[in-house]
PDB file of all heavy atoms in Angstrom:
ATOM      1  N   LEU A 433      71.013  44.795 -49.792  1.00 79.00           N
ATOM      2  CA  LEU A 433      69.751  45.428 -49.327  1.00 79.00           C
ATOM      3  C   LEU A 433      69.847  46.961 -49.287  1.00 79.00           C
ATOM      4  O   LEU A 433      68.887  47.623 -49.692  1.00 79.00           O
ATOM      5  CB  LEU A 433      69.369  44.842 -47.966  1.00 79.00           C
ATOM      6  CG  LEU A 433      68.875  43.391 -47.978  1.00 79.00           C
ATOM      7  CD1 LEU A 433      68.415  42.951 -46.622  1.00 79.00           C
ATOM      8  CD2 LEU A 433      67.750  43.219 -49.019  1.00 79.00           C
ATOM      9  N   PRO A 434      70.939  47.546 -48.764  1.00 84.00           N
ATOM     10  CA  PRO A 434      71.051  49.008 -48.841  1.00 84.00           C
ATOM     11  C   PRO A 434      70.943  49.546 -50.261  1.00 84.00           C
ATOM     12  O   PRO A 434      70.261  50.552 -50.525  1.00 84.00           O
ATOM     13  CB  PRO A 434      72.391  49.315 -48.216  1.00 84.00           C
ATOM     14  CG  PRO A 434      72.673  48.159 -47.282  1.00 84.00           C
ATOM     15  CD  PRO A 434      72.062  46.984 -47.971  1.00 84.00           C
ATOM     16  N   THR A 435      71.587  48.817 -51.246  1.00 85.00           N
ATOM     17  CA  THR A 435      71.520  49.246 -52.595  1.00 85.00           C
ATOM     18  C   THR A 435      70.094  49.136 -53.176  1.00 85.00           C
ATOM     19  O   THR A 435      69.571  50.044 -53.864  1.00 85.00           O
ATOM     20  CB  THR A 435      72.461  48.389 -53.474  1.00 85.00           C
ATOM     21  OG1 THR A 435      73.780  48.524 -52.993  1.00 85.00           O
ATOM     22  CG2 THR A 435      72.400  48.829 -54.946  1.00 85.00           C
ATOM     23  N   LEU A 436      69.408  48.039 -52.802  1.00 84.00           N
ATOM     24  CA  LEU A 436      68.034  47.865 -53.232  1.00 84.00           C
ATOM     25  C   LEU A 436      67.095  48.926 -52.683  1.00 84.00           C
ATOM     26  O   LEU A 436      66.272  49.461 -53.390  1.00 84.00           O
ATOM     27  CB  LEU A 436      67.535  46.486 -52.827  1.00 84.00           C
ATOM     28  CG  LEU A 436      66.084  46.130 -53.204  1.00 84.00           C
ATOM     29  CD1 LEU A 436      65.893  46.152 -54.714  1.00 84.00           C
ATOM     30  CD2 LEU A 436      65.682  44.740 -52.655  1.00 84.00           C
ATOM     31  N   LYS A 437      67.275  49.267 -51.417  1.00 87.00           N
ATOM     32  CA  LYS A 437      66.445  50.317 -50.791  1.00 87.00           C
ATOM     33  C   LYS A 437      66.694  51.674 -51.463  1.00 87.00           C
ATOM     34  O   LYS A 437      65.787  52.492 -51.670  1.00 87.00           O
ATOM     35  CB  LYS A 437      66.744  50.412 -49.303  1.00 87.00           C
ATOM     36  CG  LYS A 437      66.197  49.202 -48.530  1.00 87.00           C
ATOM     37  CD  LYS A 437      66.513  49.267 -47.042  1.00 87.00           C
ATOM     38  CE  LYS A 437      66.027  48.059 -46.278  1.00 87.00           C
ATOM     39  NZ  LYS A 437      66.412  48.107 -44.859  1.00 87.00           N
ATOM     40  N   GLN A 438      67.950  51.967 -51.804  1.00 88.00           N
ATOM     41  CA  GLN A 438      68.266  53.225 -52.497  1.00 88.00           C
ATOM     42  C   GLN A 438      67.588  53.258 -53.865  1.00 88.00           C
ATOM     43  O   GLN A 438      67.066  54.319 -54.275  1.00 88.00           O
ATOM     44  CB  GLN A 438      69.786  53.332 -52.627  1.00 88.00           C
ATOM     45  CG  GLN A 438      70.555  53.664 -51.370  1.00 88.00           C
ATOM     46  CD  GLN A 438      72.063  53.693 -51.621  1.00 88.00           C
ATOM     47  OE1 GLN A 438      72.532  53.536 -52.710  1.00 88.00           O
ATOM     48  NE2 GLN A 438      72.798  53.903 -50.523  1.00 88.00           N
ATOM     49  N   MET A 439      67.596  52.144 -54.563  1.00 88.00           N
ATOM     50  CA  MET A 439      66.945  52.068 -55.886  1.00 88.00           C
ATOM     51  C   MET A 439      65.439  52.323 -55.744  1.00 88.00           C
ATOM     52  O   MET A 439      64.845  53.074 -56.539  1.00 88.00           O
ATOM     53  CB  MET A 439      67.197  50.737 -56.546  1.00 88.00           C
ATOM     54  CG  MET A 439      68.678  50.490 -56.902  1.00 88.00           C
ATOM     55  SD  MET A 439      68.924  48.836 -57.589  1.00 88.00           S
ATOM     56  CE  MET A 439      68.247  49.050 -59.224  1.00 88.00           C
ATOM     57  N   GLU A 440      64.849  51.714 -54.714  1.00 88.00           N
ATOM     58  CA  GLU A 440      63.393  51.884 -54.515  1.00 88.00           C
ATOM     59  C   GLU A 440      63.035  53.274 -54.076  1.00 88.00           C
ATOM     60  O   GLU A 440      62.005  53.808 -54.494  1.00 88.00           O
ATOM     61  CB  GLU A 440      62.916  50.832 -53.522  1.00 88.00           C
ATOM     62  CG  GLU A 440      62.953  49.429 -54.078  1.00 88.00           C
ATOM     63  CD  GLU A 440      62.673  48.338 -53.072  1.00 88.00           C
ATOM     64  OE1 GLU A 440      62.657  48.626 -51.862  1.00 88.00           O
ATOM     65  OE2 GLU A 440      62.432  47.169 -53.466  1.00 88.00           O
ATOM     66  N   ASN A 441      63.868  53.893 -53.233  1.00 90.00           N
ATOM     67  CA  ASN A 441      63.617  55.281 -52.815  1.00 90.00           C
ATOM     68  C   ASN A 441      63.709  56.230 -54.012  1.00 90.00           C
ATOM     69  O   ASN A 441      62.893  57.158 -54.139  1.00 90.00           O
ATOM     70  CB  ASN A 441      64.582  55.677 -51.720  1.00 90.00           C
ATOM     71  CG  ASN A 441      64.325  54.957 -50.422  1.00 90.00           C
ATOM     72  OD1 ASN A 441      63.208  54.467 -50.143  1.00 90.00           O
ATOM     73  ND2 ASN A 441      65.320  54.877 -49.556  1.00 90.00           N
ATOM     74  N   ARG A 442      64.727  56.012 -54.839  1.00 90.00           N
ATOM     75  CA  ARG A 442      64.903  56.872 -56.028  1.00 90.00           C
ATOM     76  C   ARG A 442      63.688  56.672 -56.992  1.00 90.00           C
ATOM     77  O   ARG A 442      63.181  57.663 -57.549  1.00 90.00           O
ATOM     78  CB  ARG A 442      66.187  56.485 -56.745  1.00 90.00           C
ATOM     79  CG  ARG A 442      66.438  57.223 -58.035  1.00 90.00           C
ATOM     80  CD  ARG A 442      67.812  56.941 -58.609  1.00 90.00           C
ATOM     81  NE  ARG A 442      67.984  57.491 -59.923  1.00 90.00           N
ATOM     82  CZ  ARG A 442      67.676  56.853 -61.079  1.00 90.00           C
ATOM     83  NH1 ARG A 442      67.216  55.638 -61.003  1.00 90.00           N
ATOM     84  NH2 ARG A 442      67.823  57.422 -62.277  1.00 90.00           N
ATOM     85  N   LEU A 443      63.222  55.431 -57.081  1.00 88.00           N
ATOM     86  CA  LEU A 443      62.082  55.158 -57.955  1.00 88.00           C
ATOM     87  C   LEU A 443      60.816  55.835 -57.418  1.00 88.00           C
ATOM     88  O   LEU A 443      60.024  56.388 -58.169  1.00 88.00           O
ATOM     89  CB  LEU A 443      61.898  53.631 -58.083  1.00 88.00           C
ATOM     90  CG  LEU A 443      60.775  53.120 -58.989  1.00 88.00           C
ATOM     91  CD1 LEU A 443      60.916  53.726 -60.398  1.00 88.00           C
ATOM     92  CD2 LEU A 443      60.773  51.615 -59.041  1.00 88.00           C
ATOM     93  N   ARG A 444      60.621  55.818 -56.122  1.00 90.00           N
ATOM     94  CA  ARG A 444      59.453  56.471 -55.531  1.00 90.00           C
ATOM     95  C   ARG A 444      59.513  57.943 -55.787  1.00 90.00           C
ATOM     96  O   ARG A 444      58.483  58.595 -56.041  1.00 90.00           O
ATOM     97  CB  ARG A 444      59.429  56.195 -54.007  1.00 90.00           C
ATOM     98  CG  ARG A 444      59.025  54.782 -53.660  1.00 90.00           C
ATOM     99  CD  ARG A 444      58.897  54.614 -52.167  1.00 90.00           C
ATOM    100  NE  ARG A 444      58.704  53.250 -51.775  1.00 90.00           N
ATOM    101  CZ  ARG A 444      57.541  52.576 -51.835  1.00 90.00           C
ATOM    102  NH1 ARG A 444      56.454  53.249 -52.293  1.00 90.00           N
ATOM    103  NH2 ARG A 444      57.443  51.300 -51.486  1.00 90.00           N
ATOM    104  N   LYS A 445      60.679  58.571 -55.679  1.00 90.00           N
ATOM    105  CA  LYS A 445      60.811  60.033 -55.914  1.00 90.00           C
ATOM    106  C   LYS A 445      60.479  60.343 -57.379  1.00 90.00           C
ATOM    107  O   LYS A 445      59.776  61.350 -57.644  1.00 90.00           O
ATOM    108  CB  LYS A 445      62.233  60.497 -55.610  1.00 90.00           C
ATOM    109  CG  LYS A 445      62.396  61.993 -55.762  1.00 90.00           C
ATOM    110  CD  LYS A 445      63.755  62.449 -55.385  1.00 90.00           C
ATOM    111  CE  LYS A 445      63.882  63.975 -55.434  1.00 90.00           C
ATOM    112  NZ  LYS A 445      63.416  64.577 -56.694  1.00 90.00           N
ATOM    113  N   MET A 446      60.915  59.499 -58.293  1.00 87.00           N
ATOM    114  CA  MET A 446      60.558  59.711 -59.696  1.00 87.00           C
ATOM    115  C   MET A 446      59.056  59.585 -59.909  1.00 87.00           C
ATOM    116  O   MET A 446      58.478  60.398 -60.692  1.00 87.00           O
ATOM    117  CB  MET A 446      61.309  58.696 -60.549  1.00 87.00           C
ATOM    118  CG  MET A 446      62.830  58.833 -60.559  1.00 87.00           C
ATOM    119  SD  MET A 446      63.696  57.486 -61.407  1.00 87.00           S
ATOM    120  CE  MET A 446      63.221  57.805 -63.076  1.00 87.00           C
ATOM    121  N   LEU A 447      58.414  58.627 -59.234  1.00 86.00           N
ATOM    122  CA  LEU A 447      56.948  58.492 -59.319  1.00 86.00           C
ATOM    123  C   LEU A 447      56.235  59.730 -58.799  1.00 86.00           C
ATOM    124  O   LEU A 447      55.253  60.204 -59.388  1.00 86.00           O
ATOM    125  CB  LEU A 447      56.484  57.234 -58.638  1.00 86.00           C
ATOM    126  CG  LEU A 447      56.996  55.882 -59.210  1.00 86.00           C
ATOM    127  CD1 LEU A 447      56.658  54.742 -58.275  1.00 86.00           C
ATOM    128  CD2 LEU A 447      56.353  55.646 -60.591  1.00 86.00           C
TER     129      LEU A 447
END
Side-chain angles (χ1 to χ4, degrees):
L433 289 184
T435 302
L436 179 60
K437 290 178 181 177
Q438 288 177 3
M439 295 177 73
E440 290 173 346
N441 290 338
R442 177 172 171 271
L443 183 53
R444 287 184 188 280
K445 184 178 185 308
M446 295 172 70
L447 294 171

